[in-house]
Amino acid sequence: MAEEEEVDNTVTSEVHHFSKEETLKGGREGAVLSRFDFAYPLDLRVRDRCPNSYPQVDSDGDLVVTRKKDLHLQEGVVLIEHQNATTLDLVGEQVWRGALFLADFILHYGDSFRDKHVLEVASGVGLTSVVAAMLAAKVTVTDVDKGEILELIRRNLKRNEDVLKAEMCVKEIDFYNHGTIDDLQANNKDVSVILAADVVYNNPLTDAFFSTVLRLMSDPPDKTMFVALEKRYVFTMEDMDTVAPCYEYFLDGLEWLRSQRTDHIDWTVEELPSDFEQYFTYERTRHLVLWKINARLKQP
């Protein structure tokens, strides 16, 4: 009898090729600490990073930086502990391109997040939440309590506390157990923005994700959700072509969501342009997409 072939279900993110990393001494096996450099948008540098300073302009209206510490504010860094390769059930411990893409969007459109209560689902290592916390009043960072992902998030928040403006809270949301949503709703009644990055990679998870989105967006206040994804293409014999089946299924999920609770919710779903400024260093491929879901609750 032939030996049974061992199946390798390890998956690897390519993002680490664009960061500066070092192995964590005394840390978990395979854990690395990466430095993700970024440029501060001008309005964030002036308004949020140095709120007590008053920028000077020359006769043409150009900003004049006169203090050495203001020069230092032009660039920033996010330190993230993560894995470069994991099994499929622990992919949240890696950094994925969608998280950096969504972080760029947050930095570029800061007014959409400034002084808001932001909730991120399937936060992984917490990179996107760190960036949101540079602008928001409060950020609730969530993921399923598997492995040590929640403790990993807490460690990464601690590493970046010098750039965090927001009040931070780490909680569990399990897409397959909405009791975890009920457990934190009492302290999240003012959430108005929800984030998700690279959260779907198989159809059952996509179904559970949209069920969770419906549950979260059915309660007041009105909410806006931003979902960043990278289309992942595979060649299938059925299609005899290269296709992105998980993304196609995600689009079906958007249509399903749009048809839910229409007596209670006015839905607006749209794909956003992806040509906003890039602030983090990574390869921004044409396969990165960003969707906006808005839920306006109808008056009874």
Side-chain angles (χ1 to χ4, degrees), residues 74-88:
Q74 293 181 18
E75 295 183 353
V77 61
V78 175
L79 295 173
I80 295 294
E81 175 189 342
H82 64 99
Q83 299 276 340
N84 284 335
T86 64
T87 53
L88 190 60

Side-chain angles (χ1 to χ4, degrees), residues 9-227:
N9 66 344
T10 301
V11 289
T12 304
S13 166
E14 297 179 354
V15 167
H16 64 278
H17 297 311
F18 305 98
S19 64
K20 303 168 186 176
E21 66 180 40
E22 61 182 56
T23 302
L24 275 175
K25 296 180 180 179
R28 296 177 63 206
E29 182 180 357
V32 295
L33 182 65
S34 289
R35 172 191 174 106
F36 293 91
D37 296 316
F38 69 96
Y40 279 106
L42 178 60
D43 65 328
L44 181 60
R45 293 204 308 266
V46 172
R47 189 187 311 187
D48 296 277
R49 295 292 293 167
C50 44
N52 297 321
S53 66
Y54 296 89
Q56 298 178 352
V57 295
D58 61 20
S59 58
D60 295 323
D62 297 322
L63 181 69
V64 177
V65 180
T66 57
R67 299 186 303 172
K68 185 175 182 180
K69 70 175 184 176
D70 286 338
L71 285 169
H72 182 67
L73 293 172
Q74 293 181 18
E75 295 183 353
V77 61
V78 175
L79 295 173
I80 295 294
E81 175 189 342
H82 64 99
Q83 299 276 340
N84 284 335
T86 64
T87 53
L88 190 60
D89 61 327
L90 295 176
V91 292
E93 295 186 9
Q94 300 186 51
V95 179
W96 297 91
R97 236 186 311 247
L100 292 162
F101 186 55
L102 186 52
D104 278 343
F105 178 82
I106 293 167
L107 290 174
H108 195 74
Y109 293 103
D111 286 343
S112 296
F113 305 90
R114 187 172 279 109
D115 299 325
K116 304 288 180 62
H117 185 172
V118 175
L119 168 70
E120 186 180 13
V121 298
S123 302
V125 296
L127 186 150
T128 305
S129 285
V130 167
V131 176
M134 298 177 190
L135 293 149
K138 182 176 181 179
V139 177
T140 300
V141 196
T142 72
D143 210 320
V144 61
D145 191 5
K146 181 181 292 185
E148 65 159 28
I149 192 68
L150 298 184
E151 285 305 313
L152 176 58
I153 291 170
R154 292 186 179 99
R155 290 197 297 272
N156 283 331
L157 296 182
K158 180 69 175 177
R159 287 186 174 93
N160 295 282
E161 59 186 0
D162 59 324
V163 300
L164 304 181
K165 168 189 170 184
E167 174 189 348
M168 306 300 294
C169 180
V170 179
K171 296 289 185 181
E172 180 182 25
I173 286 185
D174 182 349
F175 293 167
Y176 294 99
N177 177 10
H178 286 186
T180 56
I181 299 175
D182 298 333
D183 291 343
L184 59 80
Q185 281 295 75
N187 296 321
N188 289 273
K189 292 181 178 179
D190 59 342
V191 169
S192 58
V193 178
I194 303 175
L195 304 175
D198 269 335
V199 297
V200 295
Y201 46 85
N202 63 48
N203 293 353
L205 181 63
T206 301
D207 290 337
F209 167 72
F210 278 111
S211 177
T212 299
V213 171
L214 177 61
R215 173 68 180 82
L216 289 169
M217 301 189 83
S218 294
D219 294 333
D222 296 348
K223 294 178 177 65
T224 300
M225 183 172 194
F226 299 100
V227 185

